[in-house]
Amino acid sequence: MIKMTEYAKRRKKLMQQVGSNSVVILTSAPMAIRNNDAHFPYRQHSDLYYLTGFEEPEAVAVLIPKRKDGEFILFNRVRNHSEEIWNGIRAGQDGARKQFGADQAFPISELSKRLPDLLEGREEIHYALGNDKYFDKLILKALQRVRGKIRNGQQPPFAIIDITDSVHEMRLFKSPEEIALMRRSAEISAHAHVRAMQFCTPGIFEYQLEAELLHEFQSNGARYPAYTSIVGSGANSCILHYVNNDKIIKKGDIVLVDAGGEYQNYASDITRTFPASGRFSDEQRAIYDIVLEAQLTGIKAARPGVAWPAIQTAMVKIITQGLVEVGLLKGRVDHLIEKQAYLPFYMHKSGHWLGLDVHDVGRYKVSGKWRTLQPNMVFTIEPGIYISSDIPGVHKSWHNIGVRIEDDILITTKGNDVLSRDVPKTVAEIEDLMA
Ligand code: GLY
Ligand code: MN
Ligand code: MN
């Protein structure tokens, strides 16, 4: 668990960055309807969560550096006996102060009334304009109201600055407490992958493997998956974001499973690919070994000071070489790389930042230049080769082999640490596990 003192430290740091003539506004994620009056499970907006730990919907945090009556103001739902009987306990304003360390707390219904006073006298509003129409309107209206009182001596803010860049830069570098949670998240998901491999047998539906994954996530405290699990067999292994998961897994199919649990809101994101029957065919093994070599090369390249695209460059080289060796590409490797001849087989990037969001926030380029890897960044390395039947000139013995191998990597001072190391990865290890 992240301690309230860590959230307080984050708020301090953010307030120092924006400066004392500013006000920061962070809003909750909307609730989402699944059908009629049934909701999707609620998930707090990661930025608000990162700075408060507050998980209830209908909440707004206002941070006002050096404000006399307190710097951290939380607007949240009021306590309500009937609502709490039906839908669960609310922190209320007392809880906002006592449990979440707010200096002041007010009912969310008072936001539009109180906001103009909170903006008055500050020069900059730091707010992620454009993400939420409801809050955009409310905040712009509050700004209008302060502007309307300029002749009474009130000073309206004159700039609206996107807060996300500062918060996302902080979120990119994980604290020891966050790393511990991410390690646990990856560990749970690793065990889920092992469970799925052991359970797999031709004749079952893809969703039955999904059920095994979810069982392992949930029974270990990762209550929700970090994204919809991908379980693609045969031709479906070549569909990058396949989530139907409703086909029967057949003998001879390769099965691609991309799944990760979310533990205390921290994502993991792991892909393994294995043969339905437990034994790779010659073609499947050949492709698998290229992707594995690419991934291991990518992981080796990941260390402090290395520019982000270096991982992709290293992996593209191995993949292109491999495709030439098995005869799926013809020509000189350097020419093929230059022409991006690998794109029909490998059409995505090396990976992405990982954290509270599965595709986590943070810039990949700073001042127009690719950023270099630094300790405490966490990201995925996930090369793949996907041979769908519509790639021209490919013999059908190669068709419908989609392989991706994805791990979660923490950059350390010396190199890196593979957080998802607990899932077998070599052909021999996988065949042993499935035997
Ligand atoms: N599971 C989505 C991804 O690997 O990026
Ligand atoms: Mn990923
Ligand atoms: Mn993935």
Side-chain angles (χ1 to χ4, degrees):
M1 271 259 288
I2 306 279
K3 292 207 188 79
M4 281 303 140
T5 48
E6 180 161 339
Y7 293 114
K9 259 201 273 179
R10 294 173 186 170
R11 289 192 296 270
K12 266 268 170 301
K13 188 172 168 192
L14 183 66
M15 284 191 273
Q16 272 163 11
Q17 282 181 33
V18 298
S20 57
N21 57 4
S22 297
V23 45
V24 175
I25 304 173
L26 296 147
T27 59
S28 58
M31 291 182 281
I33 296 280
R34 188 164 188 282
N35 59 71
N36 194 7
D37 59 349
H39 288 82
F40 281 104
Y42 185 71
R43 168 58 154 73
Q44 188 55 277
H45 192 288
S46 297
D47 288 341
L48 179 62
Y49 180 76
Y50 180 78
L51 289 157
T52 63
F54 196 68
E55 298 203 74
E56 287 182 34
E58 300 182 277
V60 172
V62 183
L63 307 180
I64 310 182
K66 309 256 191 292
R67 175 172 171 265
K68 227 173 40 281
D69 298 326
E71 299 183 313
F72 172 27
I73 303 120
L74 192 63
F75 289 87
N76 62 333
R77 302 187 300 190
V78 291
R79 299 211 59 179
N80 176 312
H81 186 65
S82 156
E83 276 292 332
E84 291 184 43
I85 283 177
W86 282 91
N87 297 317
I89 305 295
R90 298 170 166 197
Q93 286 64 53
D94 259 357
R97 285 184 294 263
K98 292 193 186 110
Q99 289 164 250
F100 294 91
D103 297 310
Q104 291 185 314
F106 301 108
I108 185 74
S109 59
E110 294 179 16
L111 179 63
S112 51
K113 185 180 84 191
R114 292 184 180 273
L115 197 54
D117 284 345
L118 297 174
L119 300 182
E120 201 276 317
R122 300 275 157 169
E123 295 179 354
E124 299 171 359
I125 302 174
H126 291 253
Y127 168 69
L129 195 66
N131 288 341
D132 187 312
K133 283 204 180 88
Y134 172 80
F135 284 124
D136 285 358
K137 208 167 143 189
L138 196 150
I139 287 161
L140 292 178
K141 211 163 148 194
L143 177 60
Q144 266 322 106
R145 296 234 323 256
V146 195
R147 283 176 180 161
K149 291 184 181 161
I150 195 161
R151 283 180 302 280
N152 303 349
Q154 293 214 0
Q155 194 225 284
F158 54 75
I160 300 179
I161 296 167
D162 192 347
I163 186 62
T164 51
D165 202 41
S166 335
V167 178
H168 294 180
E169 190 65 16
M170 287 171 66
R171 282 176 54 191
L172 181 55
F173 297 89
K174 274 65 180 175
S175 70
E177 292 78 6
E178 289 183 288
I179 289 167
L181 293 178
M182 294 196 72
R183 209 178 274 290
R184 181 66 188 136
S185 185
E187 192 177 74
I188 293 168
S189 303
H191 295 157
H193 277 264
V194 168
R195 187 183 173 109
M197 281 185 207
Q198 286 174 324
F199 188 84
C200 188
T201 189
I204 64 167
F205 284 95
E206 293 162 342
Y207 56 68
Q208 290 179 274
L209 284 190
E210 185 180 13
E212 294 300 307
L213 296 160
L214 293 176
H215 179 97
E216 195 70 21
F217 294 162
Q218 286 214 316
S219 50
N220 288 287
R223 294 286 311 286
Y224 303 104
Y227 52 94
T228 306
S229 307
I230 296 167
V231 182
S233 60
N236 302 328
S237 66
C238 300
I239 303 171
L240 299 180
H241 286 164
Y242 175 78
V243 289
N244 283 354
N245 301 351
D246 60 355
K247 296 292 179 303
I248 290 181
I249 298 170
K250 296 194 299 295
K251 193 165 158 254
D253 278 352
I254 196 126
V255 184
L256 185 153
V257 175
D258 182 345
E262 186 182 80
Y263 182 71
Q264 294 186 25
N265 287 332
Y266 282 87
S268 52
D269 182 6
I270 303 176
T271 307
R272 287 295 184 270
T273 310
F274 50 86
S277 62
R279 301 285 294 183
F280 287 87
S281 71
D282 290 346
E283 287 84 358
Q284 289 168 350
R285 181 183 300 108
I287 297 303
Y288 189 91
D289 278 337
I290 300 168
V291 178
L292 180 60
E293 193 193 339
Q295 206 233 13
L296 295 175
T297 305
I299 293 174
K300 220 168 172 181
R303 56 181 183 277
V306 166
W308 170 254
I311 299 172
Q312 179 76 330
T313 305
M315 298 202 299
V316 158
K317 187 163 174 209
I318 305 287
I319 287 172
T320 308
Q321 265 168 4
L323 290 172
V324 169
E325 274 162 29
V326 300
L328 287 167
L329 286 179
K330 290 187 177 51
R332 268 180 48 187
V333 172
D334 52 347
H335 284 172
L336 292 168
I337 292 173
E338 208 181 290
K339 286 193 316 196
Q340 299 186 305
Y342 52 86
L343 279 182
F345 302 95
Y346 176 43
M347 62 297 280
H348 57 76
K349 295 287 183 259
S350 69
H352 48 85
W353 309 132
L354 185 72
L356 285 169
D357 298 334
V358 60
H359 293 162
D360 207 32
V361 295
R363 294 202 211 175
Y364 292 86
K365 275 186 169 176
V366 179
S367 311
K369 274 180 62 182
W370 289 107
R371 86 186 302 156
T372 57
L373 302 177
Q374 300 300 334
N376 306 322
M377 288 175 166
V378 181
F379 54 89
T380 67
I381 298 188
E382 49 178 304
I385 294 178
Y386 313 91
I387 316 178
S388 60
S389 55
D390 56 11
I391 305 178
V394 172
H395 187 267
K396 69 176 189 327
S397 59
W398 296 101
H399 283 173
N400 303 327
I401 300 176
V403 175
R404 176 162 67 252
I405 307 174
E406 175 173 30
D407 280 302
D408 302 343
I409 312 295
L410 163 73
I411 294 292
T412 60
T413 48
K414 292 204 182 74
N416 70 59
D417 190 1
V418 181
L419 303 180
S420 48
R421 66 173 73 254
D422 289 356
V423 215
K425 202 151 71 167
T426 66
V427 164
E429 284 167 352
I430 291 172
E431 289 186 345
D432 273 357
L433 179 71
M434 295 182 74

